């Protein structure tokens, strides 16, 4: 668990282990044949469907009962004054979430990582027609928070990158990074 749902007036506030209110997509995202029309933006480097997800120590996929798209599921902590926050941009056929220069737990902002997730209905031309998930990375400086066994941003339980339907069967895992 985290420290509760983020403020509805500011779904991307500085926080540790929080998640946004339910965000309507404005389009239908196909998650392994399961149509999704809303999501939760989770501070710990993923979006989820059906409920927010505060778990900060990642596991490999599949994860039963929790559908998510994770460009970098790790213990993100945006409370540090030098660290960035999470930004959201929506269009009629896409949602882009950027974790911009975010730090790691506990309030560490000496190392910062920037990554982005874009999901679409498959008609968002910059991703390529027919594609509905895109992961983008800039400067990645850490992999693990101290609550997940990391020291100085590394070691411990590795971050997970991929997509999980939540049925215990359908997923793809690009990797685990420690």
């Amino acid at each position: 668990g985290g420290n509760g749902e983020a403020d509805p007036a500011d779904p991307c506030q500085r926080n540790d282990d929080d998640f946004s209110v339910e965000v309507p997509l404005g389009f239908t995202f196909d998650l392994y044949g399961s149509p999704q029309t809303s999501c939760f933006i989770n501070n710990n480097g993923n979006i989820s469907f059906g409920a927010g997800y505060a778990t900060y120590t990642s596991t490999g996929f599949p994860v039963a009962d929790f559908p998510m798209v994770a460009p970098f599921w790790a213990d993100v902590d945006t409370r540090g004054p030098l660290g960035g926050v999470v930004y959201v941009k929506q269009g009629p056929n896409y949602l882009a979430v950027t974790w911009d220069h975010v730090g790691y737990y506990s309030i560490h902002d000496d190392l910062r990582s920037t990554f982005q997730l874009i999901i679409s209905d498959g008609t968002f031309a910059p991703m390529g027609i027919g594609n509905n998930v895109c992961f983008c990375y800039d400067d990645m400086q850490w992999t693990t928070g101290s609550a997940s066994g990391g020291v100085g941003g590394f070691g411990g339980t590795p971050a997970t990158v991929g997509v999980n339907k939540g049925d215990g069967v359908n997923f793809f895992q690009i990797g685990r990074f420690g």
Side-chain angles (χ1 to χ4, degrees), residues 52-118:
Y53 200 61
T55 301
Y56 51 86
T57 300
S58 70
T59 63
F61 291 147
V63 176
D65 301 321
F66 225 92
M68 74 166 66
V69 180
F72 197 75
W73 176 18
D75 199 358
V76 175
D77 189 335
T78 58
R79 296 175 296 173
L82 300 178
V85 294
V86 181
Y87 296 99
V88 178
K89 183 175 182 178
Q90 285 185 275
N93 58 352
Y94 75 93
L95 171 80
V97 182
T98 304
W99 288 260
D100 185 30
H101 293 91
V102 294
Y104 58 100
Y105 186 82
S106 168
I107 314 178
H108 293 290
D109 56 14
D110 57 323
L111 302 174
R112 295 176 294 277
S113 293
T114 298
F115 52 97
Q116 182 181 63
L117 160 68
I118 305 169

Side-chain angles (χ1 to χ4, degrees), residues 1 32 36-37 45 91-92 151:
Y32 289 101
Q36 305 294 330
T37 57
V151 175

Side-chain angles (χ1 to χ4, degrees), residues 92-172:
N93 58 352
Y94 75 93
L95 171 80
V97 182
T98 304
W99 288 260
D100 185 30
H101 293 91
V102 294
Y104 58 100
Y105 186 82
S106 168
I107 314 178
H108 293 290
D109 56 14
D110 57 323
L111 302 174
R112 295 176 294 277
S113 293
T114 298
F115 52 97
Q116 182 181 63
L117 160 68
I118 305 169
I119 61 170
S120 82
D121 63 1
T123 65
F124 185 50
M127 288 174 52
I129 301 301
N131 296 319
N132 71 347
V133 175
C134 179
F135 297 150
C136 306
Y137 302 90
D138 192 19
D139 191 12
M140 300 295 288
Q141 298 182 355
W142 63 269
T143 63
T144 313
S146 60
S148 301
V151 175
F154 297 96
T157 303
T160 299
V161 175
V163 177
N164 182 64
K165 183 177 181 183
D167 62 0
V169 177
N170 293 293
F171 70 97
F172 78 84

